[in-house]
């Protein structure tokens, strides 16, 4: 029986991973470099949400939170080029190309695996910038266990999670609930009057949009015998924004909140013929929708207070069959087939479409000689709109002693979204019409990724350096087209609901096009050392030179960051029934590039967190925590304007307190 006070205090520098190769391996043995964030590291740094974990601990990741989701960037590329998986299964649900990260149940995270670069040979479309795979926990050591975690800080930030696990006779039940909330806040209550660089006026528009979210998860597992294991799970998420209401005396308010709902369920199983041969099957259904929930009545539109108007509904169905085989000595072969259907219905976009994808893939890893391993992989994908795609991959690893030398070439592709193909979008924002057309002539985006990696890894030290080049062809962008009289007549015919007043304000409309090329060169440095018993130091640095070519000119990719680093010192020590965990961590980055806007200045933010573990009984552990976010009170107080974007969204120094209770029987 697992004791409630059993804690893995040592930082594991050689964990088991699955994302790089598609099967379980020790980190030092995987031919494709993978970065791992463990639940222990996340907890020690006082992280409560998924976006905090990524941005605090990974220098190559940045985010820009707003009411339309979190704009995620990785290795210079945006949301649509990053594939997010939960236990290897794709997560559906975006809001204007922003991922709704609050759907991820952090109460169940065991580790987060990050694979940089193109990975379409194993994972298909969208895996161009990289793959983020959330691996969830399934405790099996106790018959009954439960835990509760509370984290509270200023500006109304609160996270509450509860887990209840039962495991007996090969049957497991894992129940979880997470409530997360935060208030809206401003760093400056002024904005520039439109068209002026000097005249300001008060505004209530928030820099950070508050929200309330709930996630409920339930998973069942059953191990019938040593060969067969089955699982089924369901997750429901609900999130609503909390923005200031419209006022007549000041700008920045809104008449409605954005309301998001997600439902995801899956079934699957694995049959192990032997320890080296297994067959896995899974089926996942994922539904996501969002819309406007009105805070005030709109009599002209016939909308009452509390009325909900759906904006977008997405659904995906996905089935996969995968075999993992050992066909020859020193080899692992993976072969699989995948079917996927994506559906999109959007009221304002006048779209209700679906697309089917069929894929078959194979990967063979072979030890060629002592310390020398080669991996080749190929995926064939048939998309009903974009036809056939082939995505190859080749990796060579030479491992003399504690060193690893790796060379990788892989192709990635991205099938344009249903909105980019079929949109016929008309909306009015603050009196001005917005028009977006999809494009049936779009081609799939393709990338070529090359990397060289050198690594030294022992139980005490891990150091790696990776240089890479990622080139993307036929990037899909939204091009603005200036409206002339002939086009205005065409647009009024396409959208007869447009009024004369709206037409008079229409200056341009947008259309999706394959027009750009992307070129990302980068360097990733990672170092971690268990310096003394109980003391771990880590440092990570990312250099990213990201450009796109549009109309024959190269320019920095939107929101790209040239230099970024994360640093952390983690210490723990035990005295009988008490253990202290102390962590100091920092995120430093240079300016953020914005096309057509003022670049956002760089910053450095440091955090302190302490966790105090009390073993009050063999079956009970209490873990109060206290810390300070943004120790040196770094704040971007620039006045909001039409030409200004932000990179630092912190409201300043915050005291953070928490309590974790863990019970095992």
């Amino acid at each position: 029986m697992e004791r409630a006070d059993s804690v893995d205090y040592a930082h594991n520098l050689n964990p088991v991973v699955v994302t790089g190769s598609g099967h379980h391996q020790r980190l030092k043995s995987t031919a494709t470099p993978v970065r791992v964030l463990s639940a222990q590291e996340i907890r020690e740094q006082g992280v409560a949400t998924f976006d905090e974990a990524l941005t605090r601990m990974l220098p190559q990741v940045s985010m820009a939170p707003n009411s339309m989701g979190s704009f995620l960037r990785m290795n210079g590329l945006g949301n649509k080029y990053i594939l997010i998986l939960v236990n290897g299964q794709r997560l559906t649900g975006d809001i204007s190309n922003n991922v709704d990260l609050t759907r991820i149940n952090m109460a169940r995270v065991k580790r987060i695996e990050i694979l940089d670069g193109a990975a379409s040979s194993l994972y298909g479309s969208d895996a161009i910038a990289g793959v983020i795979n959330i691996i969830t926990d399934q405790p099996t050591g106790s018959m009954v266990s439960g835990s509760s975690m509370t984290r509270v800080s200023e500006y109304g930030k609160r996270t509450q999670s509860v887990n209840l696990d039962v495991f007996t006779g090969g049957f497991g039940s894992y129940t979880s609930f997470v409530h997360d909330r935060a208030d809206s806040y401003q760093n400056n209550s002024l904005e520039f009057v439109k068209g002026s660089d000097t005249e300001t006026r008060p505004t209530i528009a928030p820099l950070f949009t508050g929200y309330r979210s709930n996630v409920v998860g339930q998973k069942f597992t059953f191990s019938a015998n040593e060969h067969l294991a089955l699982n089924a799970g369901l997750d429901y998420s609900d999130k609503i924004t909390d923005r200031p209401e419209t006022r007549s005396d000041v700008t920045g308010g809104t008449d409605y909140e954005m309301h998001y709902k997600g439902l995801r369920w899956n079934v699957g199983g694995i049959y192990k013929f032997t320890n080296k041969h297994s067959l896995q099957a899974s089926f996942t259904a994922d539904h996501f929708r969002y819309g406007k929930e009105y805070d005030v009545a709109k009599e002209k539109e016939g909308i009452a207070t509390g009325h909900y108007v759906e904006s977008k509904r997405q659904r995906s169905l996905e089935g996969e069959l995968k075999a993992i085989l050992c066909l020859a000595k020193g080899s692992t072969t993976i072969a699989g087939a995948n079917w996927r259907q994506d559906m999109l219905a959007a009221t304002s976009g006048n779209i209700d479409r679906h697309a089917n994808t069929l894929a078959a893939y194979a990967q063979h890893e072979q030890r060629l000689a002592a310390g020398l391993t080669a991996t080749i992989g190929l995926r064939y994908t048939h998309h009903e709109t974009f036809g056939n795609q082939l995505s190859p991959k080749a990796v060579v690893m030479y491992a003399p002693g504690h060193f690893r030398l790796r060379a990788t070439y892989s192709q990635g592709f991205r099938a344009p979204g249903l909105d980019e193909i079929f949109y016929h979008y008309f909306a009015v924002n603050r009196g001005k019409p917005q028009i977006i057309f999809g494009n049936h002539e779009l081609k799939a985006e393709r990338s070529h990724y090359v990397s060289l990696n050198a690594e030294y890894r022992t139980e005490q030290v891990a150091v790696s350096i990776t240089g890479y080049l990622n080139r993307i062809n036929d990037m899909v962008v939204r091009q603005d087209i200036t409206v002339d009289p002939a086009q205005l007549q065409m647009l009024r015919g396409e959208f007869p609901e447009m009024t004369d007043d709206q037409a008079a304000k229409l200056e341009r409309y947008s259309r999706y096009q394959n027009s750009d090329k992307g070129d990302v060169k980068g360097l990733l440095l990672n170092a971690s050392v268990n310096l003394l018993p109980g003391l771990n130091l880590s440092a990570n640095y990312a250099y990213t030179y990201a450009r796109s070519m549009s109309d024959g000119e190269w320019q920095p990719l939107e929101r790209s960051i040239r230099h970024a680093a994360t640093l952390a010192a983690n210490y723990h020590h035990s005295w009988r029934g008490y253990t202290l965990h102390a962590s100091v961590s920092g995120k430093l980055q240079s300016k953020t590039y914005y096309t057509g806007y003022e670049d956002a200045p760089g910053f450095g933010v440091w955090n302190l967190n302490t966790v105090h573990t009390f073993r009050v009984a063999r079956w009970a552990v209490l873990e109060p925590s206290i810390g300070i976010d943004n120790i040196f009170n770094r704040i971007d107080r620039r006045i909001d304007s039409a030409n200004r974007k932000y990179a630092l969204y912190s409201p300043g120094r915050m005291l953070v307190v928490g309590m974790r209770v863990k019970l095992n029987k």
Side-chain angles (χ1 to χ4, degrees):
M1 180 180 296
E2 180 186 15
R3 290 176 52 175
D5 60 349
S6 64
V7 182
D8 181 14
Y9 295 126
H11 278 257
N12 187 356
L13 301 185
N14 188 29
V16 173
V17 296
V18 67
T19 307
S21 61
H23 64 96
H24 289 87
Q25 289 181 305
R26 284 290 178 183
L27 186 59
K28 70 177 183 179
S29 301
T30 181
T32 305
V34 176
R35 177 82 163 90
V36 179
L37 307 180
S38 69
Q40 177 186 339
E41 293 176 273
I42 293 170
R43 187 170 67 251
E44 286 180 352
Q45 291 200 21
V47 172
T49 62
F50 181 71
D51 57 341
E52 284 182 346
L54 295 184
T55 54
R56 283 196 186 187
M57 304 173 76
L58 297 173
Q60 68 268 42
V61 174
S62 64
M63 290 194 191
N66 57 50
S67 61
M68 299 302 289
S70 295
F71 195 97
L72 173 66
R73 294 200 76 84
M74 179 175 172
N75 297 316
L77 296 170
N79 279 326
K80 63 182 182 180
Y81 301 106
I82 305 166
L83 182 59
I84 296 182
L85 309 174
V86 178
N87 294 321
Q89 303 300 315
R90 182 184 300 251
L91 183 68
T92 296
D94 71 82
I95 313 150
S96 299
N97 284 326
N98 299 322
V99 181
D100 183 12
L101 299 177
T102 57
R103 297 190 69 198
I104 296 170
N105 188 344
M106 286 297 289
R108 280 294 176 206
V109 170
K110 181 178 183 180
R111 64 182 185 274
I112 301 172
E113 299 180 3
I114 301 93
L115 173 63
D116 293 293
S120 291
S121 63
L122 272 181
Y123 299 107
S125 178
D126 303 345
I128 287 181
V131 177
I132 301 173
N133 192 8
I134 299 100
I135 309 299
T136 60
D137 194 18
Q138 296 173 202
T140 58
S142 303
M143 290 182 61
V144 180
S145 63
S147 64
S148 170
M149 192 278 289
T150 304
R151 186 174 185 266
V152 180
S153 65
E154 297 172 74
Y155 298 94
K157 297 184 70 174
R158 176 187 175 94
T159 301
Q160 175 69 58
S161 66
V162 179
N163 291 344
L164 177 62
D165 306 324
V166 178
F167 184 81
T168 180
F171 171 81
S173 171
Y174 310 97
T175 308
S176 61
F177 169 75
V178 180
H179 174 74
D180 188 28
R181 67 184 303 154
D183 292 342
S184 296
Y185 57 76
Q186 297 176 299
N187 285 344
N188 197 309
S189 60
L190 298 175
E191 66 176 4
F192 283 111
V193 176
K194 186 176 180 181
S196 173
D197 294 329
T198 57
E199 185 182 358
T200 61
R201 63 186 178 190
T203 181
I204 56 174
L207 174 68
F208 174 86
T209 301
Y211 65 90
R212 304 183 303 276
S213 74
N214 297 296
V215 179
V216 180
Q218 174 64 55
K219 185 171 185 177
F220 297 105
T221 62
F222 179 65
S223 299
N225 50 50
E226 62 181 2
H227 298 288
L228 179 63
L230 304 174
N231 64 81
L234 182 145
D235 288 279
Y236 173 76
S237 62
D238 184 279
K239 174 185 173 182
I240 188 167
T241 59
D242 186 15
R243 301 187 288 191
E245 294 183 10
T246 301
R247 285 168 43 184
S248 59
D249 60 327
V250 67
T251 67
T254 56
D255 295 331
Y256 57 86
E257 306 296 343
M258 299 302 300
H259 197 165
Y260 319 104
K261 297 181 180 181
L263 178 65
R264 174 185 174 91
W265 62 268
N266 67 280
V267 294
I270 178 172
Y271 187 83
K272 294 183 178 180
F273 300 95
T274 68
N275 288 334
K276 297 182 178 181
H277 304 278
S278 64
L279 184 66
Q280 302 177 17
S282 65
F283 180 83
T284 303
D286 200 347
H287 302 257
F288 180 76
R289 66 188 179 102
Y290 72 87
K292 303 173 182 177
E293 188 167 299
Y294 282 83
D295 294 323
V296 296
K298 307 283 288 184
E299 295 182 3
K300 291 183 179 180
E301 291 86 355
I303 295 174
T305 302
H307 188 72
Y308 174 79
V309 179
E310 184 175 282
S311 299
K312 192 173 184 180
R313 184 172 69 254
Q314 295 170 276
R315 184 195 68 198
S316 69
L317 304 174
E318 184 169 13
E320 184 169 27
L321 184 65
K322 179 169 75 172
I324 301 176
L325 308 169
C326 180
L327 301 178
K329 184 178 180 180
S331 75
T332 301
T333 301
I334 296 175
N338 177 279
W339 168 82
R340 181 177 175 87
Q341 182 184 81
D342 291 290
M343 184 276 290
L344 171 64
T347 304
S348 55
N350 192 26
I351 177 176
D352 190 353
R353 296 275 189 160
H354 71 271
N356 291 302
T357 304
L358 290 171
Y361 60 92
Q363 178 178 283
H364 182 72
E365 181 180 304
Q366 180 69 54
R367 187 173 68 245
L368 302 177
L372 182 62
T373 302
T375 303
I376 56 172
L378 181 68
R379 186 184 190 96
Y380 165 78
T381 302
H382 176 75
H383 190 284
E384 71 171 287
T385 303
F386 298 103
N388 303 322
Q389 305 285 336
L390 286 175
S391 304
K393 169 186 175 181
V395 184
V396 176
M397 180 177 73
Y398 179 54
H402 294 298
F403 290 92
R404 301 291 182 270
L405 303 174
R406 301 177 174 96
T408 300
Y409 169 76
S410 58
Q411 286 189 15
F413 83 94
R414 175 183 172 269
L418 292 172
D419 53 347
E420 295 170 326
I421 307 168
F422 299 112
Y423 248 23
H424 191 260
Y425 179 92
F426 175 81
V428 179
N429 184 14
R430 297 184 179 180
K432 292 191 65 174
Q434 183 181 19
I435 293 175
I436 305 172
F437 287 108
N439 187 346
H440 295 232
E441 305 297 324
L442 290 177
K443 296 180 290 186
E445 301 174 73
R446 298 199 63 84
S447 72
H448 298 270
Y449 177 82
V450 179
S451 72
L452 296 174
N453 168 266
E455 177 183 272
Y456 177 80
R457 186 176 295 273
T458 68
E459 293 301 317
Q460 289 75 39
V461 178
V463 180
S464 72
I465 178 171
T466 303
Y468 67 88
L469 171 64
N470 199 1
R471 287 187 168 163
I472 306 102
N473 296 320
D474 297 318
M475 294 181 76
V476 176
V477 297
R478 212 169 73 188
Q479 289 191 332
D480 288 336
I481 302 170
T482 302
V483 174
D484 60 29
Q487 290 170 333
L488 182 59
Q489 184 178 357
M490 177 272 293
L491 294 172
R492 297 207 67 175
E494 292 282 341
F495 304 102
E497 64 270 33
M498 189 189 311
T499 66
D500 292 339
D501 181 60
Q502 292 165 355
K505 296 177 181 178
L506 185 63
E507 299 173 353
R508 60 183 58 88
Y509 68 98
S510 301
R511 181 180 177 86
Y512 288 106
Q513 298 280 2
N514 290 108
S515 67
D516 286 12
K517 292 184 178 181
D519 183 276
V520 184
K521 303 178 181 72
L523 188 69
L524 296 171
L525 298 172
N526 306 104
S528 182
V529 55
N530 290 324
L531 189 63
L532 298 169
L535 177 62
N536 174 269
L537 304 178
S538 64
N540 308 285
Y541 167 75
Y543 169 79
T544 308
Y545 183 51
R547 305 181 300 165
S548 65
M549 177 183 282
S550 182
D551 298 326
E553 293 186 8
W554 287 103
Q555 58 185 0
L557 267 174
E558 178 81 2
R559 299 179 188 265
S560 62
I561 300 162
R562 193 68 55 88
H563 304 277
T566 58
L567 304 168
N570 298 289
Y571 174 75
H572 72 261
H573 189 77
S574 296
W575 297 269
R576 294 189 177 181
Y578 166 73
T579 299
L580 168 68
H581 309 258
S583 174
V584 177
S585 61
K587 175 73 176 277
L588 301 89
Q589 69 179 47
S590 59
K591 69 179 180 180
T592 303
Y593 293 96
Y594 285 96
T595 304
Y597 296 90
E598 176 186 311
D599 295 336
F603 61 85
V605 172
W606 291 88
N607 309 294
L608 169 67
N609 189 64
T610 62
V611 180
H612 310 266
T613 303
F614 296 92
R615 302 167 185 83
V616 296
R618 288 180 57 86
W619 46 270
V621 169
L622 298 181
E623 281 190 349
S625 62
I626 185 169
I628 301 173
D629 283 355
N630 196 348
I631 298 171
F632 300 109
N633 201 32
R634 301 302 186 199
I635 305 174
D636 187 346
R637 295 194 184 277
R638 293 176 301 156
I639 299 175
D640 192 17
S641 75
N643 191 42
R644 180 159 292 164
K645 296 287 187 178
Y646 297 84
L648 177 60
Y649 290 83
S650 172
R653 185 186 299 115
M654 291 188 294
L655 178 68
V656 183
V657 296
M659 173 63 78
R660 184 170 180 258
V661 180
K662 187 175 180 181
L663 306 173
N664 284 353
K665 182 179 180 181

